[in-house]
């Protein structure tokens, strides 16, 4: 049976009393579903008498009667219709199968209310049922339908069409006279969304009906309602255009319903088509997307009115909370092929039983289509995001290290895959068949073991490589450069001592911090001290190397002024063991700030500094990391000299891509040389103006390094923020001189790689270093048909040098399902991984094509994926419904947020360096980081229980969720804001800042005072925990509602319109819905 997504058709068709069976209004029969709004406690919905929803504005309850049989397939639930919108009543009480609404829909006339119900139930938005849907999960009330909310509006039912029809009616209120409702099917129609009070999302929606909705009272059977819409209701939410149709039933054509024009036709009243922002026509103006669809009036006219209820469209915070309720705190065993893991936002424990933990590998779909045709048809990218060094929580076992001595790891003779749980042993244990290439190999004598009655080796559980998804092998000399064991890696600290850095106090800050930081260099578990060697260089136009040999009383400086022919002037005494040379190093760190105190040299070199570090590693025959602390564009005469090429006139032109492209030449060659030597570069930039970050960050971004940027660095506000980053960066676990290969079983292969990596050929992913936060996203393509029985296997093998200088192989294995049913693929999708893939592929694409084309491609592909689902997996239904797969119901929120990120927004107000910085940092991000970046957490702190350990549940990222008297914390992994409403109560201000009122809050504070009261302590604890947990430090910015800095904060409310252009979530959903309908017609 087809499975329905959002809308979902339940398989069960028999009517149940009271629900689909309509007789008894909402309530009879099964226990009334508990309703509650989005995150709130469930309140039982008392069933109104049949036919009415909360006090209907009009008796009609507005709901339309069910369609006549036949009208849309009974099976469908209308998705959007109001039902949706309003929090649809959950399907039957939780656990019972919702009735099929649809099926039952045919009977004439259930009471309107019921309809709703059914509809809603149908909604089950997307749960997949047994075959298709299942009964709604018993989650929290809100969860109810799974979606709880109805699908996006537009979606809607025809009617609701939240915009449904996307044709939104033009932004004005509909002319009077337009009957908004189309004929209604028998029975009162509801035209329009429910009337006030009708529970939306569980909350009563007060206020006038949605835009343009006719409010009329009960309509006579079948007459369209013609009264003028409510006054002036302008359309502010997404417009609901055609909203008024009774839902069920295809929208009537003809005067009274706006027929939706076909693709090329004109919007309702003859509005001309406008080109849409994302390409394609816009059909009627989309109201109010200012920056987005040109041509649309920014705001609609008319008195302000209540917008479409946002609770009725899929919410990320709800999806996250539902997943936590369902899988939080549980053990996820990896013994099942193709099993979809909990979301990255859920806390769970992984038990490795044969597949790599989702912390190491996550896929866009855990069920691959069997053929290339199916893959092409659905357009869902098939990819895995690999974070080979992901940090494991304390309660999970670290990876086992397998040592086979001289012989090294056992590998397939043909494809060179490593021994893993998917190899099949035969012939009494003497042979094994490789699961990747099917070659039959002899088992080496030392490795022989008898098989048990199941055909498994007797030592199955004793050998990690036979029973676990992830493990390590000790590598033999064959895996080492020049066949000799590597030396332990080294860290070189390279400090720009030009005028700016001395004057800001930065040089002194770094030198003071290094004294304590060097005590905490990373070391192997159990080792007394770190094996990492350290070296120091300072530079401006020339480079100063320091000899810090332990035998010296004072450090010695050697200057290299010929930057064109870079060389390292000393070998012995440059890279030393910190413990041995601690006294000399202390001396040096004390002296550096004084030595350059009177400098007025403001020019710097850059490429020769990296060259020098790499040459030092080469001379010492080791790999390592350079920590560069740099402040300005390198303008001194030397290789790699840069000039200002920032040109805002290129924004939104075909040449905009040049702003993101690094300068070729010196830097390109330098990247290759660094990767070959295992020299990773971490760059800390402190610019006060444009520095051509796209070029300066080119070497770090190809060597597995990180780029940290502190614009207009000020000691008081940025000092601590920078030091947190530096500490994390120096102490994180990391592998050096790494090379990774991803092998797959026959039928598909890895074709594209995204990350902070260098590719010399098409298969080897080279990384000078890889740390616990870096991820590589790998895309797969079919080269043959896959088999449902055997499934598909992926093995990621990473060869690297540990911090103590040991060469190891880290292996991660994953088995996936294969299916010839697209519904399986959609059911097994993981939205967070999909968006990681789309972000990286879009950010790479803007190097070669205009940003606008990239945005068009994103929208197009999103619409294709969803249209394919609608066409092949959902039960037939009115075109006006938007139906989303359950696993992808919040995909549009993330996609819209991605399109509003700095690299993809063509705005001249954004700094080119910031856009380039975000582009490069996302390329190396894992799934958790892109998820948080694209959907920040917004925590209400004013009403939390200060006595409990629990962190408040996040609310949706929209201005509507803020309260004038509230205090909210917003964080996205890079930025953190504490927002204070203008009506914040004095006692809250007193507890947090020890000030009588908000007016006394001075300037830009970036730290909270340490006050001895429960609220202050709890807020500081929450902030400290977040800073601890995230890969990067975040600078806390305290903003008051309506102050100028609040604009910075607002750009993170991703469900609202973008500050620099970009649609609100609601408008985007409507837009995508229109695109889907065009594809389906």
């Amino acid at each position: 049976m087809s499975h329905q997504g959002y809308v979902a058709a339940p398989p069960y068709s028999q009517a149940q009393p009271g629900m689909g069976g309509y007789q008894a209004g909402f309530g009879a029969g099964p226990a009334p579903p508990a309703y509650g709004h989005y995150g709130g406690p469930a309140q039982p919905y008392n069933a109104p008498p049949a036919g009415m929803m909360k006090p209907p504005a009009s008796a009609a309850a507005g709901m339309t009667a069910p369609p006549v049989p036949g009208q849309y397939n009974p099976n469908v639930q209308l998705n959007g219709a109001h039902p949706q919108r309003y929090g649809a009543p959950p399907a039957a009480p939780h656990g019972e199968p919702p009735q099929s609404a649809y099926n039952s829909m045919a009977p004439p006339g259930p009471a309107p209310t019921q309809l709703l119900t059914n509809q809603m139930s149908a909604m089950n938005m997307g749960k997949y049922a047994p075959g298709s849907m299942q009964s709604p999960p018993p989650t929290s009330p809100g969860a109810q339908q799974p979606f709880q909310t109805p699908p996006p509006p537009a979606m809607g039912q025809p009617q609701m069409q939240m915009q449904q029809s996307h044709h939104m009616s033009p932004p004005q209120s509909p002319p009077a006279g337009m009957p908004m409702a189309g004929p209604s099917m028998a029975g009162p129609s509801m035209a329009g969304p429910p009337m006030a009070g009708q529970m939306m999302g569980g909350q009563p929606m007060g206020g006038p009906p949605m835009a343009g909705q006719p409010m009329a009272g009960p309509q006579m059977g079948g007459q369209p309602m013609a009264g003028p819409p409510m006054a002036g209701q302008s359309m502010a939410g997404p417009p609901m255009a055609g909203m008024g149709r009774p839902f069920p039933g295809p929208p009537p054509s003809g005067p009274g319903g706006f027929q939706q024009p076909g693709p090329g036709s004109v919007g309702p009243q003859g509005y001309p088509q406008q080109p849409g922002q994302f390409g394609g026509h816009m059909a009627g103006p989309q109201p109010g997307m200012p920056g987005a669809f040109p041509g649309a009036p920014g705001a609609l006219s008319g008195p302000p009115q209540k917008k479409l209820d946002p609770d009725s469209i899929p919410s990320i915070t709800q999806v996250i909370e539902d997943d936590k309720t369902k899988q939080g705190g549980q053990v996820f065993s990896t013994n099942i092929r193709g099993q979809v893991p909990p979301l990255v936002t859920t806390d769970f424990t992984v038990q490795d039983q044969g597949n790599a933990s989702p912390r190491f590998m996550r896929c866009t779909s855990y069920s691959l289509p069997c053929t290339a045709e199916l893959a092409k048809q659905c357009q869902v990218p098939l990819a895995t995001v690999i974070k080979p060094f992901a940090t494991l929580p304390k309660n999970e076992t670290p990876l086992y290290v397998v040592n086979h001595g001289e012989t090294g790891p056992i590998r397939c003779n043909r494809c060179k895959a490593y021994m893993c749980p998917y190899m099949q042993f035969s012939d009494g244990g003497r042979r094994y068949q490789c699961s990747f290439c099917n070659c039959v190999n002899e088992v080496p004598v030392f490795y022989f073991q008898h098989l048990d009655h199941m055909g498994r080796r007797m030592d199955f559980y004793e050998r990690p490589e036979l029973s676990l998804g992830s493990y390590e092998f000790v590598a033999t000399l064959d895996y080492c450069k020049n066949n000799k064991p590597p030396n332990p890696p080294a860290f070189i600290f390279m400090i720009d001592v030009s005028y700016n850095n001395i004057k800001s106090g930065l040089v002194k800050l770094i030198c003071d911090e290094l004294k304590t930081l060097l005590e905490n260099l990373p070391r192997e578990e159990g080792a007394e001290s770190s094996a990492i060697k350290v070296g120091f260089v300072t530079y401006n136009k020339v480079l100063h190397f320091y000899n810090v040999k332990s035998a010296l009383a004072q450090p010695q400086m050697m200057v290299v002024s010929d930057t064109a022919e870079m060389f390292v002037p000393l070998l012995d005494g440059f890279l030393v063991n910190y413990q041995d040379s601690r006294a000399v190093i202390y001396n040096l760190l004390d002296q550096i700030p004084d030595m350059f105190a009177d400098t007025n040299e403001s020019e710097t070199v850059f490429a020769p500094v990296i060259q020098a570090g790499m040459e030092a590693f080469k001379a010492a025959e080791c790999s390592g990391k350079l920590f560069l602390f740099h402040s300005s564009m390198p303008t001194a005469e030397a290789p790699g000299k840069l000039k200002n090429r920032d040109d805002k006139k290129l924004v939104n032109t075909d040449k905009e891509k040049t702003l993101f492209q690094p300068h070729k030449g010196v830097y390109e060659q330098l990247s290759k040389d660094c990767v070959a030597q295992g020299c990773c570069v971490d760059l800390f930039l402190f610019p006060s103006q444009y520095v051509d970050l796209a070029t300066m960050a080119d070497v770090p971004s190809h060597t597995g390094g990180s780029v940290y940027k502190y614009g207009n660095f000020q000691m008081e506000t940025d000092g601590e923020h920078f030091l947190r980053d530096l500490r994390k960066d120096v102490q994180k676990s990391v592998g050096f001189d790494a090379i990774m290969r991803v092998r797959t079983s026959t039928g598909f292969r890895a074709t594209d790689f995204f990350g902070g990596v260098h590719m010399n050929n098409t298969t080897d992913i080279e990384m000078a270093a890889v740390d616990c936060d870096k991820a590589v996203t790998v895309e797969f393509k079919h080269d043959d048909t896959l088999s449902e029985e055997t499934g598909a296997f992926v093995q990621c093998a990473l060869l690297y040098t540990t911090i103590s200088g040991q060469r190891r192989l880290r292996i991660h294995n994953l088995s996936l399902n294969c299916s010839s049913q697209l519904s399986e693929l959609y059911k097994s999708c993981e939205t967070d991984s999909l968006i990681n893939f789309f972000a990286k592929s879009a950010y790479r694409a803007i190097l070669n094509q205009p940003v606008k084309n990239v945005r068009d491609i994103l929208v197009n592909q999103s619409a294709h994926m969803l249209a394919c689902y609608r066409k092949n997996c959902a039960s037939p239904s009115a075109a006006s419904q938007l139906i989303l797969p359950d696993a992808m119901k919040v995909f549009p929120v993330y996609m819209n947020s991605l399109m509003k990120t700095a690299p993809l927004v063509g705005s001249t107000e954004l700094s080119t360096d910031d856009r380039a910085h975000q582009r490069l940092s996302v390329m190396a991000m894992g799934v958790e980081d892109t998820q948080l970046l694209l959907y920040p957490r917004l925590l209400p702190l004013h009403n939390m229980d200060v006595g409990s350990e629990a962190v408040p549940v996040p609310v949706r990222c929209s201005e509507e969720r803020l309260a004038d008297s509230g205090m909210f914390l917003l964080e996205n992994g890079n930025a953190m804001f504490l927002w204070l409403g203008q009506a914040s109560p004095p006692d809250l201000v007193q507890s947090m800042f020890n000030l009588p009122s908000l007016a006394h809050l001075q300037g830009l504070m970036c730290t909270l005072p340490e006050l001895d009261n429960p609220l202050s302590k709890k807020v500081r604890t929450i902030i400290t925990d977040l800073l601890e947990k995230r890969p990067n430090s975040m600078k806390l910015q305290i903003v008051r509602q309506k102050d100028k800095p609040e604009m910075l904060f607002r750009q993170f409310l991703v469900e609202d319109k973008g500050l620099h252009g970009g649609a609100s979530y609601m408008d985007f959903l409507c837009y995508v819905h229109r695109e889907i309908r065009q594809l389906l017609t």
Side-chain angles (χ1 to χ4, degrees):
M1 150 119 227
S2 52
H3 68 304
Q4 249 328 65
Y6 220 8
V7 134
Y12 7 81
S13 45
Q14 4 25 316
Q16 281 193 322
M19 276 300 280
Y22 320 58
Q23 270 357 298
F26 251 63
Y35 250 73
H37 49 253
Y38 250 54
Q43 295 112 6
Y45 186 59
N46 283 333
M52 306 199 57
M53 281 270 350
K54 287 278 263 226
S58 55
M63 282 337 257
T64 244
V68 207
Q71 271 230 244
Y72 325 48
N73 159 335
N75 258 342
V76 120
Q77 220 8 139
L78 308 157
N79 206 39
H82 315 93
Q84 275 346 214
R85 317 204 34 175
Y86 313 161
H94 301 161
E96 313 204 290
Q99 245 27 71
S100 102
Y102 338 60
N103 290 322
S104 21
M105 254 164 138
T113 317
Q114 274 79 334
L115 198 42
L116 186 35
T117 325
N118 321 316
Q119 285 191 336
M120 295 188 49
S121 39
M123 255 77 193
N124 249 322
M125 294 3 227
K127 274 308 274 186
Y128 289 100
S132 346
M133 326 290 317
Q134 269 131 19
S135 40
T139 37
S140 66
Q144 242 50 126
Q145 291 313 213
F147 220 5
Q148 191 29 145
T149 48
M155 342 266 321
Q157 284 235 283
Q159 298 355 225
M160 232 14 204
Q161 296 194 11
M162 279 245 333
Q163 230 275 214
Q164 181 333 197
S165 28
H166 236 53
H167 270 126
M168 345 242 4
S169 35
Q172 338 129 196
S173 25
M178 243 176 158
M180 266 280 327
S184 78
M185 271 41 240
S189 122
M190 153 115 190
M195 280 28 196
Q198 214 129 9
M199 288 274 287
M200 274 289 347
Q203 297 151 285
M205 153 164 172
M210 270 33 202
Q213 269 157 210
M215 233 24 234
Q219 311 212 163
M220 290 1 16
Q223 284 134 220
M225 175 132 203
M230 281 341 273
Q233 253 143 213
S234 84
M235 265 12 262
M240 324 258 328
M243 237 151 154
R245 276 169 225 122
F247 352 20
S253 36
F258 311 71
Q259 204 14 93
Q260 272 40 98
S265 47
V266 196
Q269 316 205 74
Y271 266 64
Q273 333 233 229
Q274 338 252 327
Q277 144 164 313
F278 314 124
H281 298 321
M282 269 290 306
Q286 224 14 345
M289 275 176 132
F293 299 100
L300 312 187
S301 46
Q305 77 257 355
K306 271 277 221 243
K307 298 194 172 133
L308 195 71
D309 177 26
D311 277 340
S312 59
I313 53 181
S315 148
I316 289 181
T317 49
Q318 187 64 42
V319 168
I320 289 174
E321 285 309 307
D322 290 351
D323 194 70
K324 284 184 177 166
T325 307
K326 191 169 143 206
Q327 317 196 65
Q330 300 192 3
V331 174
F332 174 74
S333 293
T334 68
N335 55 345
I336 300 173
R337 184 175 85 192
Q339 164 174 226
V340 183
L343 298 182
V344 283
T345 41
T346 299
D347 259 334
F348 58 99
T349 302
V350 179
Q351 189 169 29
D352 185 341
Q353 295 190 346
N355 283 293
S357 159
R359 303 189 203 288
F360 296 122
M361 297 176 82
R362 276 185 179 266
C363 295
T364 52
S365 177
Y366 287 81
S367 183
L368 305 183
C370 282
T371 63
E373 289 63 56
L374 278 177
K376 191 170 168 192
Q377 190 183 338
C378 69
Q379 294 208 10
V380 173
L382 306 175
T384 176
V385 186
I386 306 172
K387 206 194 235 188
F389 271 84
T391 310
L392 295 178
K394 302 234 181 341
N395 59 351
E396 291 181 19
T397 322
L399 300 196
Y400 286 98
V401 180
V402 179
N403 190 346
H404 287 320
E406 295 296 297
T407 53
I410 309 239
R411 307 177 64 175
C412 167
N413 293 327
R414 184 194 291 162
C415 70
K416 301 291 182 241
Y418 294 85
M419 179 54 68
C420 69
Y422 318 137
M423 303 297 190
Q424 301 285 328
F425 287 86
S426 60
D427 193 11
R430 285 185 285 277
R431 295 199 172 81
Y432 68 92
Q433 182 174 19
C434 170
S435 47
F436 296 91
C437 68
N438 301 323
C439 170
V440 176
N441 297 271
E442 294 288 324
V443 173
V445 178
F446 84 92
Y447 199 68
F448 174 77
Q449 177 59 263
H450 294 287
L451 306 186
D452 64 13
H453 64 287
M454 313 255 301
R456 274 204 315 210
R457 288 175 51 122
M458 306 292 254
D459 59 357
F460 177 80
Y461 290 110
E462 283 126 60
R463 292 198 177 267
E465 73 274 24
L466 298 180
S467 54
L468 300 178
S470 301
Y471 42 87
E472 294 199 313
F473 287 116
V474 174
T476 55
L477 291 180
D478 302 342
Y479 294 90
C480 303
K481 271 192 189 146
N482 311 324
N483 287 355
K484 53 191 243 197
N487 289 313
F491 284 176
I492 304 178
F493 296 90
M494 314 183 99
I495 306 169
D496 163 2
V497 289
S498 60
Y499 178 73
N500 282 346
N501 281 0
I502 293 288
K503 191 186 66 175
S504 68
L506 180 65
V507 174
K508 181 159 177 21
L509 183 71
I510 294 168
C511 291
D512 290 346
E513 178 63 28
L514 285 178
K515 292 177 192 168
T516 51
L517 195 52
L518 294 173
E519 298 283 354
N520 301 318
L521 291 173
R523 57 175 184 251
E524 286 289 341
E525 288 286 318
E528 300 234 328
S529 62
S530 174
I532 294 174
K533 297 201 156 160
V534 294
F536 303 87
V537 173
T538 55
Y539 65 94
N540 39 45
K541 264 197 328 200
V542 298
L543 278 76
H544 321 106
F545 292 81
Y546 297 92
N547 183 341
V548 284
K549 205 158 140 185
S550 56
L552 298 173
Q554 286 291 327
Q556 296 171 349
M557 176 205 273
M558 297 180 137
V559 180
V560 177
S561 51
D562 180 4
T563 50
E565 293 294 321
M566 202 59 230
F567 68 99
V568 179
L570 72 161
L571 286 182
D572 189 27
F574 177 58
L575 291 178
V576 300
N577 180 302
Y578 169 70
Q579 299 298 339
D580 298 346
S581 301
R582 183 191 278 143
V584 196
I585 291 173
Y586 257 59
N587 255 334
L588 173 66
L589 295 173
D590 282 335
Q591 291 171 30
I592 289 175
D594 302 337
M595 265 190 287
F596 301 98
D598 305 325
T599 186
N600 37 21
E601 181 56 76
S602 57
E603 284 196 312
T604 54
V605 293
F606 183 66
V609 184
I610 296 177
Q611 178 87 30
M614 186 201 63
E615 296 290 348
F617 290 153
K618 202 179 258 177
E621 298 188 342
C622 69
S623 50
K625 214 180 227 211
L626 306 181
F627 295 85
L628 261 81
F629 304 93
H630 191 90
S631 64
S632 56
M633 190 186 293
T635 51
E637 279 310 322
K641 171 183 175 178
L642 296 176
K643 53 182 191 295
N644 190 337
R645 59 188 184 112
D646 188 17
D647 184 357
K648 291 284 172 33
K649 292 197 282 298
L650 299 181
V651 175
N652 286 324
T653 69
D654 288 356
K655 291 205 175 137
E656 181 171 10
K657 60 190 176 198
T658 59
L659 297 175
F660 296 112
Q661 292 167 350
H663 258 307
K664 292 281 190 274
V666 177
Y667 290 99
E668 190 172 27
Q669 188 55 46
L670 197 51
S671 289
K672 288 183 182 157
D673 295 345
C674 283
V675 171
Q677 185 51 50
C679 168
C680 167
V681 181
D682 278 344
L683 176 61
F684 292 81
L685 270 177
F686 303 87
S688 49
Q689 57 205 35
Y690 174 78
V691 292
D692 191 0
L693 191 139
T695 302
M696 295 187 72
D698 189 49
V699 180
S701 66
H702 281 93
T703 57
S706 306
V707 179
Y708 300 90
K709 178 171 178 282
Y710 312 88
N712 301 313
F713 179 83
Q714 306 263 320
M715 204 63 150
E716 316 62 74
T717 53
D718 305 296
E720 198 46 46
H721 168 45
F722 153 63
L723 291 180
R724 276 195 302 261
D725 273 334
L726 177 59
R727 287 172 201 139
K728 277 183 187 253
D729 197 54
V730 171
Q731 295 168 22
K732 53 171 76 152
S733 64
V734 58
F736 294 91
D737 199 9
I739 183 160
M740 181 165 103
R741 187 174 278 195
V742 178
R743 292 183 173 81
T744 53
S745 48
T746 50
F748 73 120
R749 64 199 158 87
T751 54
D752 217 343
F753 305 89
F754 304 87
V757 301
H758 175 71
M759 302 287 299
N760 248 339
N761 53 37
T762 54
T763 55
D764 296 330
I765 306 157
E766 298 185 50
M767 297 171 277
V770 54
D771 65 45
C772 55
D773 300 316
K774 299 286 185 294
V776 178
T777 298
V778 182
E779 184 176 14
F780 300 115
K781 289 268 188 330
H782 285 75
D783 45 22
D784 202 349
T785 302
L786 299 173
S787 136
E788 300 201 29
E789 279 106 78
T790 51
F793 302 110
V794 181
Q795 182 178 78
C796 155
L798 177 85
L799 174 65
Y800 72 101
T801 302
T802 65
I803 43 185
S804 61
Q806 189 184 33
R807 205 72 178 140
R808 287 207 193 148
L809 282 152
R810 178 171 281 222
I811 314 291
H812 295 301
N813 301 291
L814 191 60
S815 58
L816 304 172
N817 286 330
C818 298
S819 174
S820 47
Q821 300 296 317
L822 283 175
S823 55
E824 283 301 310
L825 172 126
Y826 283 102
K827 207 186 287 192
S828 312
C829 273
E830 197 193 50
T831 295
D832 299 328
S833 301
L834 271 174
I835 206 70
N836 176 281
F837 173 84
F838 278 114
K840 291 184 182 187
S841 54
Y843 283 5
R844 175 183 294 171
I846 57 178
L847 289 176
N848 309 310
Q849 40 187 321
V851 172
K852 178 178 183 317
N853 294 9
V854 176
R855 286 198 306 256
D856 292 348
I857 291 167
L858 287 174
V859 176
N860 258 326
Q861 193 168 348
S862 302
H864 261 278
M865 286 160 44
L866 299 172
C868 172
Y869 172 78
R870 171 67 189 257
K871 185 170 160 201
N872 301 293
C873 314
S875 310
S877 58
S880 50
Q881 293 181 238
L882 173 53
I883 300 187
L884 302 173
D886 189 47
M888 290 170 70
K889 63 195 174 200
V890 290
F891 179 73
V893 197
Y894 286 117
M895 180 53 78
N896 184 41
S897 178
L898 172 60
M899 296 191 21
K900 292 189 283 189
T901 55
L904 294 178
V905 171
S907 166
T908 50
E909 292 169 38
L910 295 166
S911 102
T912 303
D913 277 344
D914 284 346
R915 297 177 73 197
H917 184 219
Q918 180 167 348
R919 188 189 84 77
L920 291 169
S921 46
V922 167
M923 292 304 286
M925 280 184 182
V927 181
E928 302 81 336
D929 305 336
T930 46
Q931 187 278 327
L932 186 64
L933 181 74
L934 296 174
Y935 201 86
R937 296 193 356 158
L938 181 59
L939 308 171
L941 303 179
H942 49 284
N943 50 9
M944 62 181 175
D945 174 2
V946 289
S948 90
E949 295 285 300
V951 174
V953 174
V955 294
R956 295 174 74 156
C957 284
S958 165
E959 190 185 348
E960 298 181 350
R961 307 291 158 164
L962 301 174
D964 287 358
S965 59
M967 173 169 68
F968 292 81
L969 183 72
L970 179 141
E971 57 107 14
N972 72 346
N974 288 333
M976 180 184 273
F977 292 88
L978 184 66
W979 181 91
L980 297 151
Q982 51 190 7
S984 299
D987 53 340
L988 180 120
V989 180
Q990 187 71 47
S991 312
M992 292 297 303
F993 305 102
N994 202 16
L995 293 170
S997 75
L998 268 191
H1000 294 76
L1001 201 57
Q1002 291 306 313
L1004 275 175
M1005 290 179 61
C1006 55
T1007 51
L1008 291 173
E1010 300 201 5
L1011 304 176
D1012 189 13
N1013 65 66
L1015 181 64
S1016 171
K1017 284 181 181 164
K1018 172 129 190 190
V1019 172
R1020 282 181 291 116
T1021 303
I1022 289 174
I1023 291 174
T1024 311
D1025 291 349
L1026 286 173
L1027 290 175
E1028 189 58 40
K1029 200 159 130 191
R1030 306 291 179 228
N1032 296 339
S1033 159
M1034 294 176 277
K1035 172 177 160 186
L1036 177 65
Q1037 300 176 64
I1038 296 170
V1039 296
R1040 290 181 293 198
Q1041 187 177 6
K1042 305 232 164 43
D1043 273 7
K1044 201 165 167 210
E1046 195 201 13
M1047 288 309 282
L1048 283 172
F1049 164 81
R1050 289 191 177 264
Q1051 67 194 7
F1052 296 104
L1053 299 176
V1054 299
E1055 291 197 18
D1056 300 340
K1057 281 191 189 83
L1059 287 185
H1060 305 291
S1064 67
Y1065 169 31
M1066 195 82 95
D1067 291 340
F1068 179 70
L1069 204 46
C1070 299
Y1071 184 76
V1072 169
H1073 184 33
R1074 178 154 28 161
E1075 293 288 300
I1076 292 171
R1077 293 177 58 181
Q1078 282 191 336
L1079 291 171
L1080 295 175
T1081 49

